[in-house]
Amino acid sequence: MVKKVVGGSAEFYVRFPKFQTVSGKLSWSHYTEILKSDSELEIGFYAKQCELENWSVRELKRQMKSLD
């Protein structure tokens, strides 16, 4: 479990190196779901949509699954 959290933290830092770009409106759970995408464009899109539309993690998962 610890390796999973540390790995997730490292990936988070790589994807969002400027902490100012991280929204305080999103939870860690939002970011762990968003980071499952390999596309930088999708990551940015879903992060912004979660913030603008106030998506729950459940809604985020639904939205991401609908595009698969």
Side-chain angles (χ1 to χ4, degrees), residues 8-67:
S9 299
E11 184 175 358
F12 179 82
Y13 177 75
V14 168
R15 301 287 185 136
F16 297 96
K18 296 180 182 172
F19 191 72
Q20 297 87 345
T21 63
V22 175
S23 171
K25 296 179 182 179
L26 303 182
S27 68
W28 179 249
S29 296
H30 282 94
Y31 285 110
T32 56
E33 288 303 317
I34 291 168
L35 291 174
K36 289 178 181 178
S37 173
D38 293 329
S39 166
E40 293 293 326
L41 187 60
E42 283 185 13
I43 290 169
F45 171 78
Y46 285 118
K48 193 56 141 176
Q49 285 303 112
C50 285
E51 185 178 344
L52 293 174
E53 301 292 331
N54 200 27
W55 286 351
S56 65
V57 174
R58 181 178 289 170
E59 179 62 17
L60 169 62
K61 286 179 179 182
R62 191 185 73 72
Q63 292 285 345
M64 290 180 80
K65 188 172 182 172
S66 73
L67 291 178

